[in-house]
Amino acid sequence: MADNTCRIIIVIVIVIVTIVSKSILVVADIGTATSYAPPYTPTKCNGNRPDQFPSGNLFVAVSEGLWDNGAACGRRYRLRCLSGGNNPCKDGTVDVRVIDYCTKRPCPSTIMLSTDAFSAISSSHHSRINIEYIQV
């Protein structure tokens, strides 16, 4: 009897641990993304400094909602394409750094990606895509 009770408890614990480990959620925000082309300088964060650009040119300009009066400069985000016209999404994510503020009014998207960053998550270079993003 004690053996069966012990086995049942072990099975219940294993099931609970499995369910909990599979259901841990990362809270990400949802927004839109577009690409923007050079020239990328001057930027609102670092003007004409060439060292502001991360390797691979994986950087973004953010809209008013993320700008935070300039505090966004240097923040890093992980982005994933969710959807868009003509199935543009590539698998995976891209990590980017904020180097600029979207000066277009209205800004065409939540986040404007450099052409290299946009190409990392989308096969369509001139579209607007739906993304999820999280600060990393």
Side-chain angles (χ1 to χ4, degrees), residues 23-39:
S23 65
I24 294 176
L25 299 175
V26 174
V27 179
D29 289 306
I30 304 296
T32 57
T34 52
S35 67
Y36 74 112

Side-chain angles (χ1 to χ4, degrees), residues 2-14:
D3 263 354
N4 283 339
T5 304
C6 208
R7 286 183 185 155
I8 291 172
I9 291 172
I10 290 172
V11 168
I12 290 172
V13 168
I14 290 171

Side-chain angles (χ1 to χ4, degrees), residues 12 21 27 38 45 48 51 58 64 74 79 90 101-102 109 118 122 136:
I12 290 172
S21 68
V27 179
C45 293
N48 288 306
D51 64 340
L58 303 177
E64 181 66 35
L79 312 173
K90 293 181 179 179
Y101 173 63
C102 176
S109 58
F118 198 82
S122 175
V136 291

Side-chain angles (χ1 to χ4, degrees), residues 52-130:
Q52 69 183 308
F53 299 102
S55 63
N57 286 324
L58 303 177
F59 56 85
V60 298
V62 295
S63 61
E64 181 66 35
L66 293 175
W67 181 241
D68 196 14
N69 291 321
C73 290
R75 284 184 185 156
R76 296 181 182 278
Y77 288 95
R78 179 164 294 141
L79 312 173
R80 183 171 68 96
C81 180
L82 297 175
S83 64
N86 299 319
N87 300 316
C89 296
K90 293 181 179 179
D91 289 336
T93 61
V94 64
D95 288 355
V96 295
R97 182 171 51 193
V98 176
I99 66 158
D100 209 353
Y101 173 63
C102 176
T103 56
K104 294 181 181 180
R105 292 291 168 261
C107 189
S109 58
T110 311
I111 300 176
M112 291 178 55
L113 287 76
S114 66
T115 54
D116 291 331
F118 198 82
S119 295
I121 59 171
S122 175
S123 57
S124 177
H125 302 288
H126 301 291
S127 65
R128 181 177 156 135
I129 60 172
N130 299 309

